[in-house]
Amino acid sequence: MTYPMWILLTASLVGLSCGIIGALLILRKMAMMADAISHSVLLGVVVAYLITRELSGIHMLIGAVIAGLLTAVLVQWFHARGVQQDASIGVVFTTMFAIGVVLIATQVGNAHLDTKHALMGEITFIPWDTIALPGLGEVPRATLTLSIVLLLVIAVITLFYKEWKITSFDPALAASLGIPVVLMHYLFMSMVSLTTVAAFDAVGAIMVVAMLITPAASAYLWTDRLSVMIGLSAMFGVISAITGYYIAVWLDTSISGSMAFATGLVFLFSFLCSPRHGLASRLRCRPNMSEQKL
């Protein structure tokens, strides 16, 4: 497979996994948790490096997942004690991200770990960091990791689809039916953290946030069915990844930044043209309402 194809495949895997998770984030009104976790995992990555002095390995994944779960726990803890949820999210993720940045600046030294890498990622270097697989040859490590995470996300969403649906729309009903709402919440936060961590090193925090929120918000404008929304969100993530890559090639600019920009273009198109909740449908309904008044 050629160099650009590995980049496109890796970015598409990010779009798929983030799109699926993002649909549930939007329905649960937790969009800002994506921003919080995608930034706070930096602290987990830095602490894992400081303990092991190794930039790659399972310890980095474990450290980042722990940081993501800690973010969810702290946000919930503050919210349960009277702090508004949006304020809790803002306080927790900015503090943890700031600690991570300070540790990078003061403790990491000459390691290949900096704030620019954390924000924008290094997707152009993905094809050079490979691992040998039987029957497949050399495969980029990030592509393999994201493929595993995508399969895991699909499996968990499919296995507990009814539970996700009920807890997203009516948590009180879910609790009355005996569904462990709190356990499902932290399982979902674990999936968000795992997806974020898998994409973090390759594409950076900015694209992770864009892929988690914007394709799902676009899909929400097109349908009222959860299954269709998840499929559309994943599709919009892939479209954004591919479109953003060619925009970056055309303008000779940041690939991750262009992919994040492409998610905005998809949302703008959805906002204008969606036949269900878009601007076009509202304009069509307006004359009908005027006729009824007359």
Side-chain angles (χ1 to χ4, degrees):
M1 191 177 289
T2 62
Y3 173 84
M5 292 305 295
W6 281 123
I7 294 178
L8 286 170
L9 176 59
T10 305
S12 297
L13 289 170
V14 173
L16 284 169
S17 55
C18 289
I20 294 170
I21 291 293
L24 290 175
L25 271 173
I26 292 293
L27 291 176
R28 288 167 173 258
K29 298 179 173 61
M30 299 176 66
M32 288 307 298
M33 280 299 296
D35 193 15
I37 291 177
S38 65
H39 283 78
S40 61
V41 294
L42 176 65
L43 177 59
V45 169
V46 176
V47 171
Y49 169 76
L50 292 176
I51 293 173
T52 64
R53 292 293 169 178
E54 294 288 337
L55 276 173
S56 61
I58 191 64
H59 60 278
M60 302 292 277
L61 182 64
I62 294 172
V65 169
I66 290 174
L69 286 175
L70 179 61
T71 301
V73 170
L74 288 175
V75 168
Q76 191 69 23
W77 188 80
F78 283 124
H79 181 56
R81 280 152 184 79
V83 182
Q84 292 184 356
Q85 188 169 31
D86 54 348
S88 301
I89 293 172
V91 169
V92 171
F93 100 77
T94 52
T95 302
M96 293 181 68
F97 184 68
I99 294 172
V101 171
V102 170
L103 288 176
I104 287 177
T106 59
Q107 300 295 324
V108 172
N110 294 323
H112 182 59
L113 187 64
D114 54 38
T115 52
K116 181 181 178 181
H117 173 263
L119 291 173
M120 301 304 298
E122 294 292 350
I123 196 169
T124 53
F125 297 148
I126 281 174
W128 309 115
D129 182 14
T130 61
I131 184 171
L133 294 178
L136 295 177
E138 296 291 328
V139 175
R141 193 182 303 272
T143 307
L144 176 62
T145 302
L146 286 164
S147 299
I148 295 171
V149 169
L150 175 61
L151 292 175
L152 183 61
V153 166
I154 292 173
V156 174
I157 293 295
T158 304
L159 187 62
F160 300 108
Y161 179 76
K162 292 182 179 178
E163 287 80 0
W164 296 128
K165 194 171 185 178
I166 296 173
T167 54
S168 296
F169 289 103
D170 197 337
L173 175 61
S176 68
L177 293 174
I179 297 174
V181 177
V182 176
L183 179 61
M184 295 299 294
H185 170 75
Y186 285 112
L187 175 60
F188 181 64
M189 286 296 101
S190 299
M191 287 199 301
V192 174
S193 300
L194 186 63
T195 303
T196 301
V197 172
F200 184 85
D201 185 58
V203 300
I206 291 176
M207 184 174 162
V208 171
V209 175
M211 285 292 189
L212 279 170
I213 298 174
T214 318
S218 303
Y220 184 81
L221 295 173
W222 289 90
T223 182
D224 292 328
R225 293 185 59 189
L226 177 57
S227 58
V228 177
M229 180 180 173
I230 291 174
L232 284 175
S233 181
M235 183 183 72
F236 288 155
V238 174
I239 291 173
S240 299
I242 296 173
T243 303
Y245 174 79
Y246 287 106
I247 290 175
V249 172
W250 176 43
L251 298 177
D252 190 21
T253 187
S254 165
I255 296 177
S256 294
S258 297
M259 289 178 180
F261 171 69
T263 63
L265 294 179
V266 171
F267 177 79
L268 180 61
F269 174 78
S270 300
F271 178 75
L272 293 175
C273 302
S274 168
R276 183 170 291 274
H277 299 295
L279 188 61
S281 65
R282 296 177 186 177
L283 292 176
R284 282 199 305 269
C285 291
R286 188 170 296 174
N288 295 332
M289 293 175 63
S290 301
E291 291 174 5
Q292 290 177 1
K293 290 180 180 179
L294 291 174

